[in-house]
Amino acid sequence: MTADKGHSNTAFVGDEGINGKKPPQPKTIDPNMYSLEIQEKKPGLETDYDPHQHRHVEHPTTNNETLIHLLKGSLGTGILAMPNAFHHAGWTVGVVGTLLIGLLCTYCIHLLIKAEFELCKRKRVPSLNYPAVTQAAIMEGPEALKPLSNIIIHIVNVFLLIYQLGTCCVYVVFVSSNIKAIADYYTEADTDVRLYMLIILLPLILINWVRNLKFLAPFSTLANFITLVSFGIILYYIFREPISFDNREKVGSLSGFALFFGTVLFALEAIGVILPLENEMKTPKKFGGNFGVLNKAMILIVTLYVGMGFFGYLNYGAAIKGSITLNLPEEEILAQCVKGMLAFAIYITHGLACYVAIDITWNDYLKKSLGDSPRSVFYEYIARTVLVLITFLLAVAIPNLELFISLFGALCLSALGIAFPALIQTCTYWHQRQGTAKLWMVLKNSVIGVVAVLGLLIGTSTSMIEIIHTFGHDD
């Protein structure tokens, strides 16, 4: 998913979005005033400030509600692509790899949460969103990085924007592909999936014209219910037939692992929802910790993803498609209902996912020059329409679900979910840790950064090569 005026968007970054409620807007801080603000206080006074005690949330969430929101933010189109990811990596590598990536993602989220709390104490503000945490950390870090403090917010916003637009592209391809699967069976025709994208374009534009998320909240609840029922039916089809290891690869190719890495990151990571959820909790201290909400949620999420990937791949083998829904038996009404239900649920959720991109584009950039115009509402509708058209045109250009998921997972979440948290921790404690502790922190986070950069470069390049190959083959 500027200080925390910004982005209710980050409350909705994730595979499916969280809810229809815009989070509270904490106090805005000017990062250029950080040094002056600290100097005006007595040394050590900032440690007396507890950000958790200064958060005023109108409707704080309980631990269980936060857990449910985290699950909702991570369970969506990504989990349906996990069997295909296991096909690329092999089932042994798939299981081990998903567990390791899950551990790495969880650890990096803990780094982010702890750094935010520490920075809030120093800046004496209740909370910070992701871009603000990154900027505040850079201001606290090595002198060589401080010139980046003004641009780092825009870098984070660009990654968030690309990821959310990528998620919307995935939604367009997912919805149209499942509608095509149903229509082709009953019409006995093989219609180009792009035609179905064109058919759903106007409804997508209209749902993204809804400016108040409150009106989307009931639809989000309905989508969550439909998704839960549909997952149950998919599991029925997976376990209906005996599981076999025949002709199922244990280890895939190196390029296949790169696609697997991007897909798992896209599926697992809900980095943008983390800070808003923690900020809205009644007992935010219960979010982290060994037995906190985050660890409980990630254990459930990783278990579900390993299960869906492992058993889905063993069931369908090399025939598995970008979404497991496309492998369900066409001749059975129940299977067709699942495709239709999930297509409807994801269509509804498109408005929430695109809201993030709209919020960044309009509120953080365009509104500054167009917001005072008497036609500002008209310009906002134009911006909303253009963003939907961008996702539509990208989907039309490359209507390949699994490659889209892998591309945007590797490109954006390697940075947002792994590299930035490591950078944030290093900068936050740069002057506080000395000797061996500082050396260990720098070495550890450097290794994490190298993993993230390699994942970004290799995963993105592999996905792009596959997209170009597929695109050229289709032509």
Side-chain angles (χ1 to χ4, degrees), residues 48-324:
D48 297 329
Y49 182 86
D50 186 352
H52 294 160
Q53 301 301 320
H54 291 80
R55 292 178 184 172
H56 303 291
V57 183
E58 186 177 353
H59 301 291
T61 55
T62 65
N63 294 347
N64 288 335
E65 288 171 339
T66 304
L67 177 65
I68 292 171
H69 286 326
L70 259 179
L71 292 174
K72 282 193 285 184
S74 298
L75 298 177
T77 52
I79 192 172
L80 300 175
M82 284 301 295
N84 184 265
F86 272 57
H87 165 57
H88 287 304
W91 61 265
T92 302
V93 175
V95 171
V96 176
T98 304
L99 291 174
L100 291 178
I101 294 172
L103 284 172
L104 178 60
C105 292
T106 305
Y107 178 73
C108 289
I109 292 172
H110 279 290
L111 296 184
L112 180 63
I113 289 294
K114 292 175 181 177
E116 186 231 7
F117 182 77
E118 178 65 22
L119 291 168
C120 286
K121 286 174 63 177
R122 296 181 197 174
K123 309 311 171 191
R124 302 181 72 82
V125 292
S127 61
L128 295 166
N129 67 8
Y130 200 144
V133 168
T134 311
Q135 186 182 47
I138 293 293
M139 291 293 292
E140 296 285 312
E143 291 295 325
L145 294 180
K146 288 186 179 180
L148 298 175
S149 61
N150 290 327
I151 196 175
I152 196 69
I153 282 180
H154 304 298
I155 294 174
V156 173
N157 277 342
V158 165
F159 276 112
L160 288 171
L161 185 60
I162 293 174
Y163 173 55
Q164 284 309 122
L165 289 178
T167 299
C168 292
C169 291
V170 170
Y171 287 2
V172 172
V173 176
F174 180 89
V175 172
S176 54
S177 296
N178 280 275
I179 293 176
K180 167 183 164 60
I182 298 171
D184 284 2
Y185 177 74
Y186 289 107
T187 60
E188 298 181 353
D190 186 14
T191 307
D192 193 322
V193 70
R194 296 174 177 88
L195 177 61
Y196 295 102
M197 293 180 185
L198 185 62
I199 291 172
I200 67 172
L201 176 59
L202 181 58
L204 285 177
I205 291 174
L206 292 177
I207 199 170
N208 281 283
W209 277 4
V210 178
R211 299 173 66 217
N212 191 332
L213 286 178
K214 180 179 179 181
F215 298 124
L216 290 178
F219 295 102
S220 179
T221 302
L222 176 62
N224 291 329
F225 175 75
I226 290 173
T227 302
L228 183 63
V229 173
S230 300
F231 282 176
I233 297 173
I234 290 171
L235 291 175
Y236 158 73
Y237 278 109
I238 288 177
F239 292 108
R240 187 173 67 170
E241 303 295 333
I243 299 298
S244 172
F245 287 87
D246 294 340
N247 299 319
R248 305 298 188 258
E249 297 292 337
K250 290 184 177 181
V251 179
S253 64
L254 184 60
S255 62
F257 180 81
L259 296 173
F260 164 82
F261 180 81
T263 302
V264 174
L265 271 186
F266 181 93
L268 275 180
E269 273 288 10
I271 190 69
V273 309
I274 298 301
L275 294 182
L277 284 180
E278 191 262 355
N279 290 341
E280 290 189 40
M281 285 184 68
K282 183 184 298 183
T283 55
K285 286 183 172 62
K286 298 293 182 65
F287 188 81
N290 294 334
F291 302 99
V293 172
L294 174 61
N295 284 354
K296 291 177 182 177
M298 290 305 291
I299 288 172
L300 287 171
I301 290 167
V302 171
T303 301
L304 289 172
Y305 274 71
V306 169
M308 180 68 80
F310 179 73
F311 292 108
Y313 172 56
L314 291 185
N315 191 297
Y316 295 106
I320 191 68
K321 298 181 180 179
S323 170
I324 194 172

Side-chain angles (χ1 to χ4, degrees), residues 26 36 87 392:
L36 177 62
H87 165 57
F392 166 76

Side-chain angles (χ1 to χ4, degrees), residues 368-447:
K368 293 177 181 178
S369 56
L370 301 174
D372 295 332
S373 169
R375 305 182 68 185
S376 62
V377 175
F378 172 75
Y379 292 136
E380 182 181 347
Y381 279 116
I382 293 296
R384 289 171 177 269
T385 304
V386 168
L387 288 174
V388 175
L389 288 174
I390 289 173
T391 65
F392 166 76
L393 292 174
L394 283 172
V396 166
I398 312 140
N400 191 305
L401 190 63
E402 62 267 29
L403 294 182
F404 255 132
I405 289 176
S406 180
L407 172 64
F408 290 109
L411 176 61
C412 298
L413 293 174
S414 291
L416 292 172
I418 302 176
F420 283 149
L423 174 65
I424 288 168
Q425 193 209 29
T426 301
C427 291
T428 299
Y429 297 99
W430 183 258
H431 297 293
Q432 278 66 41
R433 296 186 182 177
Q434 305 297 329
T436 306
K438 183 174 183 177
L439 178 62
W440 166 247
M441 178 184 71
V442 172
L443 288 175
K444 167 184 64 73
N445 288 338
S446 296
V447 171

Side-chain angles (χ1 to χ4, degrees), residues 333-350:
I333 295 294
L334 183 61
Q336 299 287 28
C337 286
V338 170
K339 297 173 189 176
M341 289 162 59
L342 282 173
F344 177 69
I346 297 302
Y347 161 72
I348 291 174
T349 317
H350 188 283

